[in-house]
Amino acid sequence: MGFERFGKVSYVSETKVKDFVNYLEQGKIMGTQCRICKKIYFPPQMDCNNCYSKDSMVWREIVNEWTLITYTTAHFAPTGFEDDIPYILAIAESPEGIRLFARLSKDVSEDQLKPGMKLKLVPVRLPNDKISYEFKPIGG
Amino acid sequence: MSKEVAIVGVGQTAFTRACGVTIKELCFEAFKEALEDCNLEPKDIDESIICSAPEYDKQRSPAGAINEYLGLNPKPTFYAESICSSSTTGIRVAYGLIKSGLSSVVAVIGFQKMSELSSREVQERMGRGSDIMWESPFGLFMPAGYALFARNHMKTYGTTEEQLAKVKVKSSKYAFLNPKAIYQREVTLEDVLNSRVIASPLKMYDCCANADGASCVIVASAEKAKKITDTPIWIAGIGSASDALSIAKKTNLTGLTCTVEAARQAYAMAKVEPKDIDVAEVHDCFTIAEIMAYENLGFCKPGEGGKLIEEGQTYIDGKIPVNIDGGLLGKGHPIGATGGSQVRTIVQQLRGEAGKLQVKGAEIGLVHNVGGVGLYANVLILRR
Ligand SMILES: [Zn+2]
């Protein structure tokens, strides 16, 4: 239990990375890294699929700088997200070579977006004691 | 060319919004048509492979229910699944069963009855097609996944919304001539561009429609095939690959890497090149998917897919005719039945039985079937 607090609609409660939610609560965006092969994971995971070492993963703060690659405005939504329409979904990349999918902050509209623009990832509190993260334009 | 495994019979139901029959009845119709296509009887089938996307099924383990209804007991049966590419995955397994000698004649039956569920239930399932831990909680759904590719393709290569729309215009033209297609109306460029936005830049007409339907492909060993028919269609090449399920972890966001890899395998096995293909069925679940398929299958260079449709090169009289049966955009997309329907179209083309939709002198055909947002891909090269 614990991970079900992540996201507006969640399908997962038990996981080895449930501490992610506690870190997020403290304002920290944490990934994991393998001590043996040094591979960085974000979103975090506790199993290294690169070297398969045992108990090799440690928590580590990620470099929170993102460049927007692509985005879409959803005018239709799966169950549980109907009230959010329209909402913007995006993929951005960090200097560590991590690509991440998340929503863009509600206060940004599609015409303000340009591929290549800089974003940061911020924790966001949701109703019903839920928590998530979203992209926000830097300086925006 | 390898002449070891052949397709001897094909069949499919009409693809419709609501079929009004059970999944067993749907499959019966497709199976019967395939048997009649090659003058076989149920007793001639050694094994059946049943293919669908299980989240749309009410029946648990549909293979058993369908095999019983078709009167095939005690022949072996099982289920094959890779979402939208399930039935070509079934054909891949049939190929292996036949080459190994375990079976000589295998029926691959794909089906989906999407009207089995309420629109509410469908909407709920839509939300679980991406990674349920890190992506579904943001409200990702399939059209949005392809929209992210579309936007990136437009940004990278200058592809336009008009070029996307032209794919649908072409599909509707051929669907109009295909009695098994869900859409029987030609649409204009304006119709597509003015349709309502689902996930920008994709609009309603950029997306295929959910449908009910079934398909059947009967696959046989060379020895059996030559006895069954004078026009066996040989599986000359068969390739298969995967990419990450997570949208953010895809190898590439301008095309489908799984398509590139599956095509590479299929071309190498068939010892042919993209320029040798006379007619192709590609997985156009969205207009952008067809444009990426042109590029990823090597019909044009990366970034030139928009130009290829713009120039009309994928029409019936073009350089490489694509989806000359309406494609998924025109026929509808009953998930598990789609790959078998694509194979049926190419088999008919290579036999010269495609009527008004016949590509003259077609000898080598290609089938490209994708599961999910570039998650699974199967590519088949078929020859007369
Ligand atoms: Zn490691």
Side-chain angles (χ1 to χ4, degrees), chain B residues 96-352:
Chain B
L97 286 169
I98 289 166
K99 270 207 85 168
S100 71
L102 279 173
S103 276
S104 299
V105 183
V106 180
V108 179
I109 300 165
F111 75 91
Q112 213 73 58
K113 184 183 172 192
M114 299 183 70
S115 67
E116 190 96 317
L117 303 181
S118 68
S119 52
R120 193 187 163 76
E121 287 172 309
V122 170
Q123 197 187 353
E124 190 276 329
R125 279 153 182 76
M126 270 181 40
R128 292 188 284 120
S130 47
D131 182 74
I132 58 164
M133 187 166 177
W134 297 107
E135 296 190 338
S136 294
F138 296 102
L140 180 57
F141 55 109
M142 196 138 167
Y146 274 96
L148 290 165
F149 274 93
R151 175 90 61 202
N152 198 47
H153 202 274
M154 291 163 75
K155 175 193 81 179
T156 309
Y157 300 123
T159 307
T160 65
E161 292 187 39
E162 286 74 16
Q163 290 172 334
L164 298 183
K166 282 180 179 169
V167 172
K168 172 66 179 181
V169 171
K170 171 174 70 74
S171 303
S172 75
K173 179 186 164 87
Y174 297 126
F176 179 68
L177 297 170
N178 180 352
K180 305 256 188 183
I182 200 168
Y183 288 118
Q184 298 288 340
R185 185 174 80 80
E186 286 198 57
V187 301
T188 64
L189 192 66
E190 290 67 38
D191 290 336
V192 185
L193 292 173
N194 294 331
S195 62
R196 105 187 142 88
V197 178
I198 303 292
S200 66
L202 299 182
K203 295 165 278 291
M204 198 177 79
Y205 279 147
D206 286 300
C207 311
C208 67
N210 289 349
D212 293 351
S215 62
C216 178
V217 175
I218 299 176
V219 188
S221 65
E223 193 191 335
K224 287 274 187 179
K226 286 173 193 158
K227 285 182 193 149
I228 293 168
T229 175
D230 295 333
T231 53
I233 299 300
W234 301 100
I235 301 179
I238 188 163
S240 188
S242 66
D243 198 359
L245 169 71
S246 306
I247 191 84
K249 308 279 185 211
K250 301 290 179 194
T251 311
N252 181 324
L253 288 168
T254 49
L256 305 187
T257 308
C258 56
T259 296
V260 174
E261 173 56 19
R264 188 193 61 73
Q265 296 169 16
Y267 286 130
M269 183 172 163
K271 299 189 175 66
V272 298
E273 293 176 37
K275 66 169 170 51
D276 301 322
I277 304 298
D278 298 314
V279 57
E281 279 283 297
V282 310
H283 197 89
D284 60 329
C285 46
F286 299 90
T287 51
I288 181 63
E290 178 160 325
I291 286 180
M292 292 193 296
Y294 297 161
E295 300 171 5
N296 301 152
L297 294 167
F299 299 153
C300 64
K301 292 194 188 110
E304 293 184 354
K307 204 174 100 196
L308 200 69
I309 180 71
E310 182 118 53
E311 290 173 349
Q313 299 287 11
T314 51
Y315 276 79
I316 196 164
D317 50 359
K319 194 174 81 179
I320 169 69
V322 174
N323 292 352
I324 308 302
D325 62 351
L328 282 60
L329 287 165
K331 283 187 301 184
H333 181 27
I335 304 176
T338 286
S341 169
Q342 294 177 301
V343 168
R344 170 180 172 271
T345 292
I346 295 298
V347 165
Q348 290 182 333
Q349 286 282 353
L350 299 180
R351 286 178 182 164

Side-chain angles (χ1 to χ4, degrees), chain A residues 51-110:
Chain A
C51 74
Y52 278 72
S53 299
K54 193 174 185 297
D55 300 328
S56 65
M57 304 295 276
V58 290
W59 287 100
R60 163 190 185 284
E61 219 158 341
I62 55 153
V63 174
N64 195 350
E65 296 168 27
W66 303 88
T67 305
L68 180 61
I69 300 176
T70 184
Y71 54 91
T72 177
T73 305
H75 293 269
F76 187 86
T79 304
F81 299 97
E82 300 89 337
D83 301 344
D84 295 354
I85 299 170
Y87 55 89
I88 302 177
L89 300 166
I91 299 175
E93 198 163 27
S94 82
E96 293 180 298
I98 296 162
R99 252 200 253 130
L100 181 71
F101 167 83
R103 271 215 208 164
L104 261 148
S105 164
K106 266 277 172 195
D107 48 26
V108 187
S109 67
E110 189 174 307

